[in-house]
Amino acid sequence: MITALSGDTSRLRETVEFVKEQDTATLLPLLLPGLDGPELRALVERCAFSHAALLVFPPDEAALYTALADCGLVVDAPPRPSVVVRERLAVRHERPAAELDVGILRPVVRCPDGTRRMVEVFALTVPPGSDLDTVAAQEREGQRETHVAFEVEAPDPLVLRGLCAVFARYGATPDGGGYNPHENGTVFYFTAPAEAKAGHRRVELYVPGDHRDVLAAHLDDTHRGAQHAETLLRLLTGAWTTQALAAFARLEVADAMDRQRGVGLADLAREVGALAPNLATLLRYLTMLGVVSEGRDGFRLTDTGALLRADAEGSMRPLALMYGGPFYESFAGLGHTVRTGQVAFERHFGENHFDHFARDPELAELFDLSMAAGARMFDPLPAHPVLASAPEGATVVDIAGGNGELLGRILSAHPRLRGCLLERPRTVENARRLLGSAGHAERCTFVGGDFADVPAGCDVYVLSRVLHDWDDDRCREILRHCARAMSDAAELLVVERVLPVDGAASLATAWDLHMMCNVGGRERTADHYARLFADAGLSLLSRAPLPLDAHVLHARKAPRSSPRP
């Protein structure tokens, strides 16, 4: 029995020596670095170092008393039931509290200066062969219940709140607590700051009596601290989410699933060529995200997950592959971009993203499809007054219009209008096919070229998600090309995400980071766009919101100033 407790006995001896060596005035500054002067004196006057605590795991009560005696610790009363530690163990190890027989003993230690302190011994009985062996092993390694304690000598609520405030001011964070009705005492646990030098980081304030009113606020602070840690941890694992969605899309799992019926794991794994246990792990994670759901008949797609099917209307599968592919790789260099200004994508791939995608037909097609995947922001655009009131036969030019997704929507909404798409020659051919299959070939012309080739004499010019790709100088150049091509009566519609000026949460803020890292561009405020327009001889007339935090900015050529007489 003593052999089973030999490690605990060694820790008991060390704890006894610690209690003998320390006192309140020397221990507090070690726990709370920087504490000195009046605040240290105030704490010393109101609380006293009372004990150091540890958790041991005897097979039975006799073995516990033998180990205590070996350390010179004498007890003359049976253990009292623990409430606080038992509940903490139950939560930590997901076990019913009734299964955990935890008692408290407080043998006295006589210090060299005559002071009487205690070693607080929490004892979890672990009978031979018990499944509590794993609990004991984990707790011995983690030492989560090891702490030092100070007893508050004047348990006044105001004093108690003041003590908690001082602990917080010097970096200690709330770490739980509780009321023990068996002793009529309240405990407040703290975690000392990382720079503490006492060898213990868990600190207890023990207050005789029932102080659950003050304890409630302390426990709220504990919960908030846990919430902050959980929130940060979820943010840190965001990359896992990106890759989980990308893997789901790359393996075409969504295409093998259905929203109306479940598909069994074995069938799914066979269909997509994956290992069933590994696929199950991925699907469980995606279930947590709301991408799939699990029922008795297997896994099925949610409405969110259905957007990752290749044949879904407005499929976002290309975005998942792009964000989990090239853009994901380059985001590893975000710190380099922040430090040096060099675009991370260019540093990683050796060229800008336009040139990189142009050299790889598959990537180029994926990029065009990913741009079309954001088409939901275009839904209200055809109803914009500029388009709705355009006269019969007016021509709408989509500058750098990709595969023609947006122009096709405008032409479908307004059969009286004509269209013109300006794009790189290879992309023009893709757009020609798409717009032709939609029945718009006879009303549409195509120009293969660059921004310098903006056709003149048309009625409405559209720049959708173009300006955010470029720095201010290049934006001014693009806008000047537009202004030169526009008549005084022509209209310009610019679709971009606009940065909020009040710090409100917005997708524009996220895309600002993305553009900086991967493209070398940026998102801008409405006022910033107005200045760029003015520099190019254009006037911003209005802006209207679109879905996904986008806006449409309406501009015309600025009136020419009359010559002075």
Side-chain angles (χ1 to χ4, degrees), residues 384-407:
H384 191 280
V386 164
L387 296 169
S389 62
E392 180 86 23
T395 299
V396 179
V397 182
D398 192 356
I399 302 166
N403 65 0
E405 175 76 24
L406 172 57
L407 185 57

Side-chain angles (χ1 to χ4, degrees), residues 11-197:
R11 290 193 300 115
L12 275 167
R13 287 197 181 96
E14 292 173 359
T15 304
V16 170
E17 292 306 310
F18 180 86
V19 168
K20 288 180 178 179
E21 293 170 359
Q22 298 295 337
D23 62 35
T24 308
T26 57
L27 182 55
L28 278 169
L30 294 177
L31 292 166
L32 305 173
L35 177 67
D36 58 14
E39 285 185 312
L40 174 58
R41 289 194 295 273
L43 284 185
V44 172
E45 290 172 0
R46 289 171 173 79
C47 64
F49 174 40
S50 62
H51 67 262
L54 73 166
L55 174 62
V56 297
F57 308 92
D60 52 41
E61 194 169 293
L64 173 63
Y65 284 125
T66 300
L68 292 172
D70 286 346
C71 298
L73 299 171
V74 179
V75 292
D76 53 10
R80 289 176 175 265
S82 162
V83 173
V84 177
V85 172
R86 182 184 63 186
E87 293 297 330
R88 285 169 58 87
L89 291 174
V91 170
R92 202 148 60 226
H93 298 280
E94 299 181 344
R95 289 175 175 264
E99 292 182 2
L100 304 174
D101 179 16
V102 183
I104 308 173
L105 288 166
R106 294 194 178 94
V108 173
V109 174
R110 294 183 181 276
C111 301
D113 62 358
T115 305
R116 293 163 63 90
R117 298 194 184 96
M118 293 178 294
V119 171
E120 185 173 65
V121 181
F122 299 109
L124 170 62
T125 302
V126 182
S130 166
D131 66 349
L132 294 175
D133 281 338
T134 57
V135 174
Q138 292 175 21
E139 290 297 325
R140 282 191 177 106
E141 181 178 357
Q143 297 293 317
R144 295 178 180 88
E145 299 306 325
T146 299
H147 65 264
V148 294
F150 298 83
E151 184 166 346
V152 180
E153 298 178 342
D156 175 271
L158 288 177
V159 170
L160 186 53
R161 287 188 173 92
L163 291 174
C164 291
V166 172
F167 270 63
R169 190 152 55 247
Y170 286 91
T173 54
D175 186 27
Y179 170 68
N180 189 339
H182 301 288
E183 298 182 340
N184 188 29
T186 309
V187 294
F188 298 75
Y189 286 120
F190 296 85
T191 299
E195 58 270 24
K197 300 178 177 63

Side-chain angles (χ1 to χ4, degrees), residues 366-564:
L366 181 62
F367 178 71
D368 289 341
L369 290 172
S370 70
M371 291 296 290
R376 278 177 177 74
M377 71 168 61
F378 304 143
D379 286 344
L381 185 63
H384 191 280
V386 164
L387 296 169
S389 62
E392 180 86 23
T395 299
V396 179
V397 182
D398 192 356
I399 302 166
N403 65 0
E405 175 76 24
L406 172 57
L407 185 57
R409 287 170 177 257
I410 294 172
L411 295 178
S412 293
H414 303 291
R416 69 184 187 284
L417 300 182
R418 299 187 59 80
C420 175
L421 186 125
L422 170 65
E423 252 296 357
R424 295 159 294 168
R426 184 197 61 79
T427 303
V428 160
E429 294 310 310
N430 292 336
R432 192 189 302 273
R433 286 192 295 271
L434 187 147
L435 290 168
S437 65
H440 303 315
E442 294 183 359
R443 291 192 291 140
C444 201
T445 58
F446 301 88
V447 178
D450 201 347
F451 296 114
D453 302 305
V454 175
C458 298
D459 303 283
V460 181
Y461 294 81
V462 178
L463 275 173
S464 176
R465 296 180 297 171
V466 171
L467 297 182
H468 73 162
D469 286 336
W470 308 99
D471 62 23
D472 284 358
D473 287 342
R474 180 62 166 152
C475 284
R476 292 186 188 96
E477 182 182 345
I478 293 169
L479 290 170
R480 287 181 181 124
H481 286 309
C482 294
R484 278 194 291 269
M486 293 167 62
S487 68
D488 290 345
E491 315 275 7
L492 173 65
L493 299 180
V494 174
V495 177
E496 294 288 356
R497 289 188 170 94
V498 175
L499 284 172
V501 295
D502 59 358
S506 170
L507 286 173
T509 305
W511 256 258
D512 197 25
L513 189 72
H514 168 69
M515 302 309 292
M516 177 184 73
C517 182
N518 285 292
V519 182
R522 59 183 299 184
E523 307 295 347
R524 297 169 173 90
T525 64
D527 286 346
H528 194 151
Y529 278 116
R531 292 194 296 273
L532 293 178
F533 291 156
D535 291 344
L538 299 163
S539 295
L540 176 61
L541 303 180
S542 67
R543 66 184 175 112
L546 295 173
L548 302 178
D549 285 348
H551 284 77
V552 55
L553 309 173
H554 174 206
R556 287 193 193 123
K557 292 187 76 167
R560 293 184 179 88
S561 56
S562 300
R564 293 181 181 180

Side-chain angles (χ1 to χ4, degrees), residues 244-245 247-249 251-254 256-257 263-269 272 274-294 298-302:
L245 293 169
F248 187 69
L251 293 170
E252 301 181 344
V253 185
M257 297 177 69
V263 182
L265 177 64
D267 291 338
L268 261 182
V272 303
L275 295 174
N278 295 28
L279 180 60
T281 299
L282 174 63
L283 292 173
R284 280 196 299 270
Y285 183 79
L286 294 175
T287 298
M288 183 176 71
L289 299 178
V291 176
V292 301
S293 63
E294 184 178 11
F299 292 93
R300 68 178 64 193
L301 285 173
T302 64

